[in-house]
Amino acid sequence: MANELPLHIGFIMDGNGRWATRQGLSRSEGHVAGANAFRRICEYGCDLGIKSMTFYAFSTENWKRPPAEVAAIMDIFRDYLREAEERKLENAQKGMHMHYMGGRDGVPEDILDLFDTAENESINATRTTVNIAVNYGGRAEIVHSVRNIAKRVQAGELAPHEIDESLISAGLYTAGQPDPDIIVRPSGEYRLSNFMIWQAAYSEFWYTDKLWPDFTEADLDQIIADYAKRNRRFGGV
Ligand code: IPE
Ligand code: IPE
Ligand code: MG
């Protein structure tokens, strides 16, 4: 039997730099093109009524990049979030709820404020949750969850034997959302790069050599069609 529409799709938005090099452009221009692909896919996924989409935009490891490239990426976040502010009514009509997903330490304050505004203004939208993973690392996310659990144990609110998988999941940035049914990685790389490592326990994977800035609505159609044919067994028969 064909699977239904995936409830949650994760996108590792990779290949912006290589796309730019091939076009004779700067890496920053590649990130601008990547952000446009994000706008396309995000909008189309909302139109299709996908419940959750997670876009990996900047990892905890990406701080290693040259400062000018990091600054250019931060400027792209600012541009997108200001635009989201201008389009808040339209986004609300689409039922799009935006959610910041990542650690806050080290991220410029004005960007966090813009994310908080976007998140608060879309709090009543329930059709599609769009998680934007910024300063995100799957391991750091697990540490964050476990630390909060440890505090509760220390306060005597929780006994160690009460710690279970659902409690750890509930402390992740994706609390309350289904685990990703399928994770998409473009640009010919075959790795998670610290993306949703807890939530990906039973995710399907979808790879392509295509670079992220070249992603179109037709690719999302293909992902959904391929997903429908996957046989998910979850350890059963
Ligand atoms: C992904 O594209 C964007 C970020 C990691 C911020 P890359 O910049 O990693 O592109 P490639 O992998 O160098 O082509
Ligand atoms: C993963 O891409 C992170 C994002 C897309 C935000 P990277 O380009 O950073 O991953 P690696 O370094 O090739 O594993
Ligand atoms: Mg890359």
Side-chain angles (χ1 to χ4, degrees):
M1 201 183 77
N3 294 315
E4 310 276 323
L5 206 59
L7 289 176
H8 186 172
I9 309 179
F11 297 92
I12 301 174
M13 304 192 284
D14 196 19
N16 297 349
R18 278 163 283 177
W19 182 91
T21 304
R22 284 181 201 172
Q23 314 279 324
L25 300 170
S26 67
R27 290 185 60 87
S28 300
E29 288 169 299
H31 295 309
V32 171
N36 289 334
F38 158 76
R39 286 178 177 88
R40 274 197 301 280
I41 301 302
C42 180
E43 182 147 347
Y44 187 53
C46 288
D47 291 345
L48 295 176
I50 309 281
K51 277 257 118 249
S52 291
M53 290 187 284
T54 299
F55 294 90
Y56 201 7
F58 192 85
S59 74
T60 45
E61 289 72 33
N62 289 147
W63 295 108
K64 289 181 205 153
R65 295 189 179 204
E69 180 173 344
V70 171
I73 294 170
M74 296 297 149
D75 277 341
I76 290 168
F77 295 150
R78 288 187 181 93
D79 287 346
Y80 173 71
L81 291 163
R82 288 190 193 119
E83 177 191 307
E85 169 71 17
E86 279 162 26
R87 291 181 47 174
K88 65 182 174 198
L89 288 178
E90 209 176 305
N91 285 340
Q93 268 167 0
K94 275 188 183 294
M96 174 182 147
H97 173 55
M98 204 191 294
H99 178 58
Y100 179 83
M101 178 173 167
R104 296 175 73 94
D105 286 352
V107 179
E109 209 55 51
D110 68 303
I111 292 185
L112 293 173
D113 288 346
L114 285 164
F115 267 114
D116 289 346
T117 303
E119 185 152 349
N120 291 333
E121 280 173 347
S122 62
I123 203 98
N124 295 320
T126 53
R127 186 172 151 90
T128 301
T129 298
V130 174
N131 304 302
I132 304 187
V134 172
N135 190 26
Y136 175 83
R139 288 187 173 184
E141 183 186 35
I142 295 168
V143 170
H144 166 83
S145 174
V146 169
R147 218 174 251 164
N148 286 332
I149 292 170
K151 282 183 198 154
R152 291 175 59 194
V153 172
Q154 195 176 35
E157 292 166 20
L158 199 68
H161 74 265
E162 290 175 297
I163 299 171
D164 60 9
E165 294 182 11
S166 65
L167 204 63
I168 292 179
S169 292
L172 302 177
Y173 303 125
T174 47
Q177 298 181 46
D179 285 337
D181 293 305
I182 187 160
I183 292 179
V184 174
R185 178 139 199 177
S187 86
E189 309 292 355
Y190 302 91
R191 54 177 173 266
L192 277 177
S193 302
N194 207 7
F195 185 55
M196 294 209 282
I197 53 172
W198 173 277
Q199 298 91 327
Y202 264 102
S203 301
E204 299 293 320
F205 288 97
W206 195 92
Y207 298 103
T208 175
D209 286 339
K210 199 178 243 203
L211 303 171
W212 175 254
D214 290 327
F215 249 65
T216 65
E217 291 84 344
D219 293 302
L220 185 50
D221 285 336
Q222 189 63 54
I223 290 159
I224 291 168
D226 289 348
Y227 174 75
K229 290 184 249 157
R230 300 281 178 97
N231 182 2
R232 305 184 79 191
R233 283 184 291 274
F234 297 101
V237 287

